[in-house]
Amino acid sequence: MKTAYRIVTPILALGAVAAGFFLKLFTFVIGSTDDQINSLVNAVSSLFSGINTTYEYSAFEIIKMIIAGPVKEDAEKSFSEVAAPIMSDIVAFAVLFSIMLLIMLAVAVLSALANSKKKRIAVICTCAGGLAVSLACIVVSNSAFAKIIAGEVNLTELVSLISDSVIATLATVIVSVTSATLSAGFYTVFGLFLLIIIWTIFSSFLIKNPIQKSKTYKRKNVKRTVIKP
């Protein structure tokens, strides 16, 4: 069981890091409080590929966008200027989420070396630290999402930076962000912290109390030899 634990746990941890980096991290839904406008936007989005009502981004995609820079080189404002109201939240979330992934990498290393109860307890404590950082990420992201939904970030200027569709930019005049949430990438990492804790406790129990086949012993019939006088 010790060997199985030291193989399975690092795989789970490394899988969590990959999921956090490549799976969708944020989901934004564009719409309006007016049902007629919502219907219009949905109808237009089905006709034009440049207009969507749901936008999802992974950490990998966001990094690519930052490296590539704005779609329009002649954009009046940079991303940092457009996102100024939530810039502190963005930086805080980026730092915290990076720490989450680094903690998960540490879990992978510790679990690969966990050949004793003390080291398995260290894995549990490290995962608990990762959960604490995850909760801080949720608090920071909720703060940013509340500002976005409240309209503190100019949606028209933001879309003009990340999209070259004139229709998509014009559509932002009548719509706003109605929903902003953390997505699968984040919750996969969060869930695997919990899973590794449960798996470690279960594995430690099995290591301490291994399941053995119960052996039944049959009494051999002793043949008595009768000594004749």
Side-chain angles (χ1 to χ4, degrees), residues 108-138:
V109 174
L110 288 172
S111 59
L113 302 172
N115 56 358
S116 66
K117 181 181 178 182
K118 189 176 180 181
K119 290 179 180 178
R120 287 191 294 274
I121 291 173
V123 171
I124 292 174
C125 293
T126 306
C127 285
L131 286 174
V133 177
S134 302
L135 293 174
C137 277
I138 293 172

Short mmCIF file of all heavy atoms in Angstrom, two decimals, residues 108-138:
data_model
loop_
_atom_site.label_atom_id
_atom_site.label_comp_id
_atom_site.label_asym_id
_atom_site.label_seq_id
_atom_site.Cartn_x
_atom_site.Cartn_y
_atom_site.Cartn_z
N ALA A 108 3.00 16.84 -4.56
CA ALA A 108 3.48 15.77 -5.44
C ALA A 108 4.83 15.25 -4.99
O ALA A 108 5.07 14.04 -4.93
CB ALA A 108 3.56 16.28 -6.89
N VAL A 109 5.74 16.16 -4.63
CA VAL A 109 7.08 15.77 -4.19
C VAL A 109 7.03 15.07 -2.84
O VAL A 109 7.62 14.01 -2.64
CB VAL A 109 8.01 17.01 -4.12
CG1 VAL A 109 9.36 16.62 -3.53
CG2 VAL A 109 8.18 17.63 -5.50
N LEU A 110 6.30 15.66 -1.89
CA LEU A 110 6.21 15.09 -0.54
C LEU A 110 5.58 13.70 -0.55
O LEU A 110 6.04 12.79 0.14
CB LEU A 110 5.40 16.01 0.37
CG LEU A 110 6.06 17.32 0.81
CD1 LEU A 110 5.07 18.21 1.54
CD2 LEU A 110 7.26 17.03 1.71
N SER A 111 4.51 13.54 -1.34
CA SER A 111 3.82 12.24 -1.38
C SER A 111 4.68 11.16 -2.03
O SER A 111 4.59 9.99 -1.69
CB SER A 111 2.48 12.37 -2.10
OG SER A 111 2.67 12.83 -3.43
N ALA A 112 5.52 11.56 -2.99
CA ALA A 112 6.42 10.59 -3.63
C ALA A 112 7.46 10.07 -2.64
O ALA A 112 7.97 8.95 -2.78
CB ALA A 112 7.10 11.22 -4.84
N LEU A 113 7.76 10.90 -1.64
CA LEU A 113 8.76 10.53 -0.63
C LEU A 113 8.13 10.04 0.68
O LEU A 113 8.85 9.74 1.63
CB LEU A 113 9.66 11.74 -0.32
CG LEU A 113 10.41 12.35 -1.53
CD1 LEU A 113 11.10 13.64 -1.11
CD2 LEU A 113 11.41 11.36 -2.09
N ALA A 114 6.81 9.96 0.70
CA ALA A 114 6.09 9.67 1.95
C ALA A 114 6.13 8.18 2.29
O ALA A 114 5.19 7.44 2.02
CB ALA A 114 4.65 10.16 1.86
N ASN A 115 7.25 7.75 2.88
CA ASN A 115 7.38 6.34 3.27
C ASN A 115 7.19 6.13 4.77
O ASN A 115 7.52 5.09 5.31
CB ASN A 115 8.75 5.80 2.83
CG ASN A 115 9.89 6.64 3.41
OD1 ASN A 115 9.66 7.64 4.09
ND2 ASN A 115 11.10 6.25 3.12
N SER A 116 6.65 7.16 5.43
CA SER A 116 6.40 7.05 6.86
C SER A 116 5.14 7.83 7.23
O SER A 116 4.67 8.67 6.45
CB SER A 116 7.60 7.59 7.66
OG SER A 116 7.73 8.99 7.44
N LYS A 117 4.63 7.55 8.42
CA LYS A 117 3.41 8.23 8.88
C LYS A 117 3.65 9.73 9.00
O LYS A 117 2.78 10.55 8.65
CB LYS A 117 2.99 7.65 10.23
CG LYS A 117 1.71 8.27 10.78
CD LYS A 117 1.35 7.66 12.13
CE LYS A 117 0.09 8.33 12.69
NZ LYS A 117 -0.26 7.80 14.02
N LYS A 118 4.81 10.11 9.50
CA LYS A 118 5.15 11.52 9.69
C LYS A 118 5.11 12.28 8.36
O LYS A 118 4.59 13.40 8.28
CB LYS A 118 6.54 11.64 10.32
CG LYS A 118 6.91 13.04 10.75
CD LYS A 118 8.25 13.04 11.46
CE LYS A 118 8.63 14.45 11.89
NZ LYS A 118 9.94 14.48 12.57
N LYS A 119 5.61 11.67 7.30
CA LYS A 119 5.63 12.33 5.98
C LYS A 119 4.23 12.40 5.38
O LYS A 119 3.91 13.35 4.67
CB LYS A 119 6.58 11.60 5.05
CG LYS A 119 8.06 11.79 5.44
CD LYS A 119 8.98 11.04 4.52
CE LYS A 119 10.44 11.24 4.95
NZ LYS A 119 11.37 10.48 4.09
N ARG A 120 3.41 11.39 5.68
CA ARG A 120 2.02 11.45 5.19
C ARG A 120 1.23 12.53 5.92
O ARG A 120 0.37 13.19 5.31
CB ARG A 120 1.35 10.08 5.35
CG ARG A 120 1.86 9.04 4.35
CD ARG A 120 1.00 7.80 4.35
NE ARG A 120 1.09 7.09 5.62
CZ ARG A 120 2.03 6.20 5.91
NH1 ARG A 120 2.99 5.91 5.04
NH2 ARG A 120 2.02 5.59 7.08
N ILE A 121 1.52 12.74 7.18
CA ILE A 121 0.89 13.85 7.92
C ILE A 121 1.32 15.19 7.32
O ILE A 121 0.52 16.13 7.22
CB ILE A 121 1.25 13.78 9.42
CG1 ILE A 121 0.56 12.56 10.06
CG2 ILE A 121 0.84 15.06 10.14
CD1 ILE A 121 0.97 12.29 11.49
N ALA A 122 2.58 15.26 6.87
CA ALA A 122 3.08 16.48 6.22
C ALA A 122 2.31 16.76 4.93
O ALA A 122 2.02 17.91 4.60
CB ALA A 122 4.57 16.35 5.93
N VAL A 123 1.94 15.70 4.21
CA VAL A 123 1.14 15.84 2.99
C VAL A 123 -0.23 16.42 3.32
O VAL A 123 -0.72 17.34 2.65
CB VAL A 123 0.99 14.48 2.27
CG1 VAL A 123 -0.03 14.59 1.12
CG2 VAL A 123 2.32 14.00 1.73
N ILE A 124 -0.85 15.90 4.39
CA ILE A 124 -2.17 16.40 4.81
C ILE A 124 -2.10 17.87 5.21
O ILE A 124 -2.94 18.68 4.81
CB ILE A 124 -2.71 15.55 5.98
CG1 ILE A 124 -3.03 14.13 5.52
CG2 ILE A 124 -3.96 16.19 6.59
CD1 ILE A 124 -3.42 13.18 6.62
N CYS A 125 -1.07 18.23 5.96
CA CYS A 125 -0.91 19.64 6.40
C CYS A 125 -0.68 20.56 5.21
O CYS A 125 -1.20 21.68 5.16
CB CYS A 125 0.25 19.75 7.38
SG CYS A 125 -0.03 18.92 8.96
N THR A 126 0.09 20.09 4.23
CA THR A 126 0.35 20.90 3.03
C THR A 126 -0.93 21.11 2.24
O THR A 126 -1.21 22.22 1.75
CB THR A 126 1.41 20.21 2.14
OG1 THR A 126 2.57 19.94 2.92
CG2 THR A 126 1.80 21.10 0.97
N CYS A 127 -1.74 20.05 2.11
CA CYS A 127 -3.03 20.18 1.41
C CYS A 127 -3.97 21.13 2.16
O CYS A 127 -4.70 21.90 1.53
CB CYS A 127 -3.69 18.81 1.28
SG CYS A 127 -2.95 17.74 0.04
N ALA A 128 -3.93 21.07 3.50
CA ALA A 128 -4.76 21.99 4.29
C ALA A 128 -4.34 23.44 4.04
O ALA A 128 -5.19 24.34 3.94
CB ALA A 128 -4.63 21.65 5.78
N GLY A 129 -3.04 23.67 3.90
CA GLY A 129 -2.55 25.00 3.55
C GLY A 129 -3.03 25.43 2.18
O GLY A 129 -3.41 26.58 1.96
N GLY A 130 -3.04 24.47 1.24
CA GLY A 130 -3.55 24.75 -0.11
C GLY A 130 -5.03 25.12 -0.09
O GLY A 130 -5.47 26.02 -0.82
N LEU A 131 -5.81 24.45 0.76
CA LEU A 131 -7.24 24.77 0.89
C LEU A 131 -7.43 26.18 1.45
O LEU A 131 -8.34 26.91 1.02
CB LEU A 131 -7.93 23.75 1.80
CG LEU A 131 -8.16 22.36 1.19
CD1 LEU A 131 -8.72 21.41 2.24
CD2 LEU A 131 -9.11 22.43 0.00
N ALA A 132 -6.59 26.56 2.41
CA ALA A 132 -6.68 27.90 2.99
C ALA A 132 -6.40 28.97 1.92
O ALA A 132 -7.11 29.99 1.83
CB ALA A 132 -5.68 28.05 4.14
N VAL A 133 -5.39 28.72 1.09
CA VAL A 133 -5.08 29.66 -0.01
C VAL A 133 -6.23 29.68 -1.02
O VAL A 133 -6.57 30.74 -1.56
CB VAL A 133 -3.75 29.27 -0.69
CG1 VAL A 133 -3.47 30.18 -1.88
CG2 VAL A 133 -2.60 29.35 0.30
N SER A 134 -6.84 28.51 -1.26
CA SER A 134 -7.97 28.43 -2.19
C SER A 134 -9.14 29.30 -1.72
O SER A 134 -9.77 29.99 -2.52
CB SER A 134 -8.45 26.98 -2.32
OG SER A 134 -7.41 26.14 -2.75
N LEU A 135 -9.42 29.26 -0.42
CA LEU A 135 -10.51 30.08 0.12
C LEU A 135 -10.20 31.57 -0.04
O LEU A 135 -11.09 32.37 -0.33
CB LEU A 135 -10.73 29.73 1.60
CG LEU A 135 -11.28 28.32 1.86
CD1 LEU A 135 -11.33 28.04 3.37
CD2 LEU A 135 -12.66 28.15 1.25
N ALA A 136 -8.92 31.92 0.14
CA ALA A 136 -8.52 33.32 -0.07
C ALA A 136 -8.72 33.72 -1.53
O ALA A 136 -9.16 34.84 -1.83
CB ALA A 136 -7.05 33.50 0.34
N CYS A 137 -8.46 32.79 -2.46
CA CYS A 137 -8.69 33.04 -3.90
C CYS A 137 -10.16 33.32 -4.16
O CYS A 137 -10.50 34.21 -4.95
CB CYS A 137 -8.26 31.82 -4.71
SG CYS A 137 -6.50 31.75 -5.08
N ILE A 138 -11.04 32.55 -3.53
CA ILE A 138 -12.48 32.72 -3.73
C ILE A 138 -12.92 34.10 -3.25
O ILE A 138 -13.70 34.79 -3.91
CB ILE A 138 -13.26 31.60 -3.00
CG1 ILE A 138 -12.99 30.25 -3.68
CG2 ILE A 138 -14.76 31.90 -3.00
CD1 ILE A 138 -13.55 29.06 -2.95
#
